[in-house]
């Protein structure tokens, strides 16, 4: 899970969804289908980056809207993406 001031983001590998939960109430604020089990996630500057196995997906933290995605090659491994100087690795 990824935690910020008000939300907890939970990429669930069982149902191919990413959930945003209100940190205080536990209420599901949004959920977004990513089409594959999550292999890792991180966030930076209001964007949630999700490793969906063969695809890296960027979601808007505020509402779960898909901003972009790029395919990952066969050498990509499971794990959390890393963001440094606005570049995602």
């Amino acid at each position: 899970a990824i935690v910020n001031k008000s939300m907890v983001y939970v990429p669930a590998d069982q149902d191919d969804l990413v959930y945003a939960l209100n940190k205080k109430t536990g209420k599901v604020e949004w959920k977004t289908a990513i089409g594959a089990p999550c292999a890792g996630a991180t966030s930076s500057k209001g964007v949630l980056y999700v490793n969906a196995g063969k695809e890296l997906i960027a979601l808007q933290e505020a509402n779960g809207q898909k901003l972009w995605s790029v395919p990952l090659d066969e050498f990509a491994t499971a794990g959390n993406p890393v963001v440094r100087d606005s570049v995602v690795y």
Side-chain angles (χ1 to χ4, degrees):
I2 298 164
V3 180
N4 70 16
K5 289 192 307 187
S6 61
M7 301 291 280
V8 178
Y9 302 97
V10 182
D13 59 357
Q14 294 88 359
D15 58 9
D16 301 348
L17 293 172
V18 176
Y19 295 88
L21 309 174
N22 182 293
K23 187 176 173 180
K24 289 184 180 179
T25 67
K27 177 184 172 215
V28 176
E29 298 291 335
W30 57 258
K31 60 183 175 181
T32 298
I34 58 171
C38 176
T42 196
S43 69
S44 178
K45 298 180 181 178
V47 179
L48 188 65
Y49 300 96
V50 181
N51 177 348
K54 295 185 181 201
E55 184 177 28
L56 178 65
I57 301 170
L59 303 175
Q60 200 166 45
E61 284 184 358
N63 58 18
Q65 178 181 351
K66 186 176 180 178
L67 300 172
W68 53 261
S69 66
V70 293
L72 298 174
D73 64 26
E74 68 271 14
F75 300 108
T77 61
N80 296 332
V82 175
V83 180
R84 178 159 177 151
D85 298 328
S86 299
V87 177
V88 184
Y89 299 93

